[in-house]
Amino acid sequence: MALPAKKQFKYWGVAALVFAVVMWSLGHVLLPFILGAAIAYMIDPIADRLEAWGMSRSGATATITVGTLVVFVLLLLVVVPTLIYQMIDLANVLPKLIGDARNFVNDRFPAVFEQDSRIHQAISALAETLQSRAVQVLQSVAGSAVSLLNVVVLLVIVPVVAVYLLLDWDRMIARIDELLPRDHQPVIRRLAGEIDAALASFIRGMGTVCLILGTYYAVALMLVGLNFGLAVGFIAGLVTFIPYLGALIGGALAIGLALFQFWGDWVSIGLVALIFVVGQVIEGNFLTPKLVGDSVGLHPVWLLLALSVFGALFGFVGMLIAVPVAAALGVVARFVTEQYLDSRLYQGQGHRDAGTE
């Protein structure tokens, strides 16, 4: 005999509450496992493709692991040291760059820095807000990744978890499917399929877009001769998953550095700006439609809200799970809306009776 809907809702509500409490209290400990699961999820289609070509699951996992290790070692030897040095130098140069920009604006627009002007008050309030939020994010990252978890241990645990989950991914999904409540299995399968499609389109697709654009920006800026080109490309690619934000932040930073470095050489400054214009054209017309598609349903404002809320609730771990949870909640919200539009609460008794005649 099936449980009444009210009791089912109560039980699942308690389960969701327990899950949230566990995430809030053990989020820092769960960080390597969440990262490992995310990596396994992203790589699973490659393992499935290798299996379709005749490999066993163990052979596919071993092939992917060896290939990833080779790429990681090459990046560690060639790219990562340069990127770290550039990020450190950029952090040291930015105060001088901001000071020069302040002097430039003060010479030409002195009203901006008058204490009683509305512009000065607005800029000061914005700067204080950005500074406080930046400090919170840095403290959250430091507390999650450095204080509570040794970086070396993190780098060891994450690959091990990813390999084991990748090896057992299909069996794990099949086992979860067996444990679904029988009465709600079709609906849960449908929602899970839509969530998987949204995640696959967004995380895998946008991950590829971020990688391609970050590489393009870094290489192009270094070819132009811009100092810190690799770091700027990395930053721009990293935040590309929020539409226009990557180009806005990366473009503003790159053009500011270009003005600081190439002042008077307007051709070089124009080339830096052109790089980001071309990047936006490529992303909007080729990369995003091809790799992400239009069926994801994740609005940029929804993403920013999810990142802010989950970051505030669960810290750095919350920011990692914000996008997957936002995608899942988006699918569930569309399903609830669909059910509402088909209900008497929306259609009314008269409309329902007329439809049955």
Side-chain angles (χ1 to χ4, degrees):
M1 181 178 178
L3 286 174
K6 187 175 181 180
K7 282 192 175 183
Q8 293 187 34
F9 181 79
K10 181 175 69 174
Y11 291 149
W12 288 114
V14 171
L17 180 61
V18 170
F19 177 78
V21 171
V22 170
M23 284 295 301
W24 180 77
S25 58
L26 299 178
H28 303 305
V29 178
L30 296 176
L31 176 59
F33 300 94
I34 293 174
L35 289 174
I39 294 172
Y41 174 78
M42 294 180 66
I43 299 177
D44 179 63
I46 301 176
D48 292 340
R49 181 64 61 87
L50 292 177
E51 282 188 283
W53 290 347
M55 278 191 179
S56 65
R57 187 70 181 190
S58 300
T61 302
T63 301
I64 293 172
T65 302
V66 172
T68 303
L69 284 175
V70 171
V71 173
F72 178 76
V73 170
L74 290 176
L75 290 175
L76 193 62
L77 294 176
V78 178
V79 178
V80 174
T82 304
L83 177 61
I84 292 175
Y85 291 143
Q86 287 199 9
M87 293 292 284
I88 294 173
D89 291 342
L90 180 60
N92 293 329
V93 167
L94 275 179
K96 186 178 187 306
L97 181 63
I98 294 173
D100 291 344
R102 180 185 178 90
N103 294 333
F104 177 82
V105 174
N106 191 28
D107 292 339
R108 289 161 176 77
F109 309 100
V112 172
F113 295 100
E114 292 180 1
Q115 295 294 328
D116 298 331
S117 68
R118 292 184 178 180
I119 297 177
H120 177 75
Q121 294 174 358
I123 293 176
S124 299
L126 178 61
E128 291 176 1
T129 302
L130 291 176
Q131 184 178 8
S132 63
R133 296 299 298 176
V135 170
Q136 292 177 8
V137 171
L138 289 175
Q139 289 176 345
S140 176
V141 172
S144 300
V146 178
S147 301
L148 299 178
L149 287 174
N150 185 279
V151 175
V152 176
V153 175
L154 186 67
L155 292 176
V156 171
I157 293 178
V158 170
V160 172
V161 171
V163 169
Y164 276 110
L165 288 180
L166 181 62
L167 185 62
D168 294 328
W169 191 267
D170 292 339
R171 289 195 293 268
M172 182 175 63
I173 296 301
R175 181 57 179 163
I176 292 174
D177 184 72
E178 293 175 359
L179 296 175
L180 294 177
R182 299 295 96 180
D183 290 344
H184 307 294
Q185 189 182 57
V187 175
I188 295 175
R189 281 179 174 175
R190 172 194 163 188
L191 292 177
E194 292 179 3
I195 291 171
D196 179 65
L199 289 178
S201 297
F202 190 83
I203 294 181
R204 294 171 184 153
M206 281 307 301
T208 306
V209 171
C210 290
L211 180 62
I212 293 174
L213 281 181
T215 304
Y216 159 73
Y217 287 138
V219 172
L221 292 174
M222 286 191 295
L223 288 177
V224 171
L226 181 70
N227 293 334
F228 317 113
L230 181 62
V232 174
F234 173 78
I235 294 171
L238 190 64
V239 293
T240 296
F241 72 95
I242 302 177
Y244 308 111
L245 189 61
L248 182 63
I249 294 177
L253 184 58
I255 293 173
L257 290 171
L259 290 171
F260 180 73
Q261 178 181 346
F262 301 124
W263 183 259
D265 185 0
W266 303 111
V267 174
S268 297
I269 297 173
L271 287 175
V272 171
L274 181 63
I275 287 171
F276 282 89
V277 172
V278 172
Q280 280 299 287
V281 172
I282 294 173
E283 178 195 358
N285 294 280
F286 300 100
L287 294 179
T288 300
K290 181 69 175 177
L291 298 175
V292 181
D294 300 324
S295 60
V296 180
L298 287 177
H299 194 276
V301 175
W302 179 243
L303 285 177
L304 290 173
L305 177 63
L307 288 169
S308 300
V309 171
F310 281 88
L313 290 176
F314 306 113
F316 183 62
V317 177
M319 297 180 70
L320 291 178
I321 66 172
V323 172
V325 173
L329 291 178
V331 170
V332 173
R334 288 192 291 271
F335 173 76
V336 172
T337 303
E338 180 183 302
Q339 297 299 307
Y340 165 69
L341 293 176
D342 194 43
S343 67
R344 283 193 298 177
L345 181 62
Y346 171 75
Q347 296 186 3
Q349 183 64 43
H351 183 83
R352 177 61 63 88
D353 294 341
T356 57
E357 293 179 358

